[in-house]
Amino acid sequence: MTAAHDDARALFTDLTGREPDGLWSAPGRVNLIGEHTDYNDGFVLPFAIPQRTVAAVGLRDDDRGRVLVGSTFAEEPVEVDLDELDELFPTAPGAHPAVPEWAAYPLGVAWALRQAAAEGPFRGLDIAIASDVPVGAGLSSSAAIEGATASALNELWGTGLDATALARVGRRAENEAVGAPTGIMDQMASMLGQPDTAIFLDCRSLEAQPVPLGVAEAGLAILVIDTRVKHAHSTGGYRERRASCELGASLMGVPALRDVSIADLSRAEELMDDLTFRRVRHIVTENQRVLDTVRVLRERGARAIGDLLVASHTSMRDDFEISTVELDTAVDTALAAGALGARMTGGGFGGAAIALIEQDAVDAVSDAVTAAFAGSGFDAPHLFTVTPSAGPLRDA
Ligand code: GLA
């Protein structure tokens, strides 16, 4: 049990005056490689991290069919009728949810799970949420909330959905309740997490293969450098990148950029404006880098993937243009301090970078990055190592 478990239980008792029926948790994720490829039906290679979101949940004894959600991040809980969820959601594209945004995640899960399961009874419940996944850091705090809530409700309502179906419920909450046009990677990474293992996911078929990472056995560590520049994917840049990808696919006459190969890029260059072409080139080359990373991990191990991570960052910086000066500083400094590879991770426009480093270089690389940030006048970064960890759990 962690502080987040204690906090969720204490908040539940504060809000309801009773003990929860149980505690469920789900992890955030780091994406090793494969960025913005998920909504292009492509490939990704994320893994779940030790940081988790905890939901303390209890069914209500009354049969008024109400749901109350509280969070340690919010001052006031939100309470609605379960039947009202169909009026609150979906949120119109580009609009704000009809409830505070943090509450749209768990309430959106309740809404989407009811629709996915069809058969009730759906009793009212109380939900208290606490988390140690940093918010806005590109580590999928949102997928962790969705995964913890979906796991709890799936058990208490007896809806019996499997991990992939629950990932789809989480994604629907994020897309249609919160209004962030994200792909399926984060929810699948959180739902399918396994110790020491990355998840090689085909985002078209949703076929997932576990790939042993072997980072620790190779004497290596993965350092997260959270720049503490917050991002939000419900706005601006993420949506624009997605639109450019859809335009590129339609100009190529294919359903998704997954269907464009590196050999097709010269034709793509002739067919589209320079900006759209560079967006397309990032996706097409990034898909190939995921396939290459899986092959290299299997054949040669974690020590050999550094150049692929660096190439991915360069492509995101120059072609997809989703990096920031803080992320570039994190990556460049980590590499100069001896990292084997480094890249920004997640949706971009802020958030975190990862660096693959020697285990005994954690302090040296961390100090170098901290000094570089101070020297550039940036806020101090938040640095910690992560190991691939388990998916959703019932903890109590
Ligand atoms: C965010 C989204 C994901 C994915 C990544 C970029 O994390 O939630 O679906 O698109 O950005 O790879």
Side-chain angles (χ1 to χ4, degrees):
M1 297 287 159
T2 63
H5 290 89
D6 296 342
D7 291 350
R9 183 189 287 280
L11 178 64
F12 186 95
T13 308
D14 271 2
L15 291 172
T16 66
R18 61 182 210 281
E19 286 291 309
D21 294 346
L23 300 181
W24 288 260
S25 66
R29 64 102 188 89
V30 150
N31 189 18
L32 190 63
I33 196 162
E35 226 63 85
H36 287 255
T37 43
D38 61 351
Y39 57 79
N40 289 295
D41 277 3
F43 303 105
V44 294
L45 189 63
F47 62 85
I49 57 176
Q51 289 76 6
R52 304 177 76 83
T53 295
V54 182
V57 186
L59 287 167
R60 288 189 168 202
D61 287 334
D62 60 55
D63 51 21
R64 285 166 55 223
R66 288 178 71 73
V67 53
L68 173 127
V69 284
S71 157
T72 55
F73 292 91
E75 282 185 11
E76 295 289 328
V78 174
E79 187 170 7
V80 299
D81 276 339
L82 279 174
D83 289 336
E84 211 186 314
L85 293 172
D86 289 336
E87 290 157 32
L88 293 175
F89 306 131
T91 300
H96 290 292
V99 293
E101 190 177 278
W102 68 267
Y105 292 95
L107 292 177
V109 164
W111 167 71
L113 182 57
R114 250 164 59 115
Q115 295 206 347
E119 299 234 343
F122 299 105
R123 277 177 60 194
L125 24 80
D126 300 303
I127 305 170
I129 292 167
S131 182
D132 59 20
V133 186
V135 173
L139 301 176
S140 292
S141 56
S142 53
I145 295 182
E146 291 151 8
T149 313
S151 303
L153 272 51
N154 193 42
E155 191 173 330
L156 291 174
W157 279 346
T159 38
L161 299 193
D162 65 15
T164 300
L166 291 178
R168 285 182 197 275
V169 162
R171 182 197 181 178
R172 187 148 185 239
E174 185 139 353
N175 290 171
E176 296 181 39
V178 179
T182 50
I184 191 78
M185 167 171 73
D186 304 342
Q187 292 79 13
M188 289 293 277
S190 182
M191 290 305 304
L192 299 180
Q194 287 180 40
D196 304 321
T197 305
I199 299 134
F200 172 38
L201 178 67
D202 178 336
C203 298
R204 175 168 275 168
S205 66
L206 293 192
E207 190 197 329
Q209 288 177 40
V211 178
L213 264 188
V215 165
E217 295 88 275
L220 300 175
I222 294 175
L223 180 70
V224 173
I225 306 162
D226 175 5
T227 65
R228 300 181 53 212
V229 177
K230 302 232 183 228
H231 70 79
H233 294 321
S234 45
T235 49
Y238 189 97
R239 204 177 277 279
E240 276 169 30
R241 295 305 180 282
R242 199 171 167 148
S244 291
C245 292
E246 280 159 16
L247 173 63
S250 81
L251 290 170
M252 292 299 284
V254 292
L257 290 181
R258 152 71 173 273
D259 303 303
V260 178
S261 69
I262 297 216
D264 296 328
L265 282 176
S266 50
R267 188 164 67 89
E269 190 165 17
E270 284 164 21
L271 280 177
M272 51 193 81
D273 63 274
D274 177 61
L275 185 92
T276 310
F277 172 65
R278 286 187 293 116
R279 304 300 190 242
V280 167
R281 183 167 59 189
H282 165 69
I283 300 299
V284 172
T285 57
E286 185 80 347
N287 268 327
Q288 187 59 47
R289 280 186 288 272
V290 176
L291 299 175
D292 291 347
T293 303
V294 171
R295 183 175 40 77
V296 170
L297 275 172
R298 285 177 173 153
E299 288 173 2
R300 294 161 55 206
R303 228 163 233 288
I305 65 169
D307 291 348
L308 287 159
L309 303 184
V310 175
S312 170
H313 185 77
T314 305
S315 177
M316 290 190 284
R317 185 190 64 202
D318 299 344
D319 274 355
F320 219 57
E321 295 180 284
I322 54 172
S323 189
T324 62
V325 59
E326 293 86 355
L327 287 164
D328 292 342
T329 301
V331 166
D332 293 345
T333 309
L335 291 172
L340 281 72
R343 63 185 285 280
M344 53 148 280
T345 186
F349 308 103
I354 52 169
L356 181 67
I357 61 179
E358 304 288 348
Q359 265 165 20
D360 59 15
V362 172
D363 288 345
V365 175
S366 302
D367 291 350
V369 172
T370 302
F373 271 53
S376 302
F378 305 154
D379 286 346
H382 181 197
L383 295 137
F384 52 97
T385 59
V386 287
T387 47
S389 301
L393 296 170
R394 179 165 182 174
D395 302 304

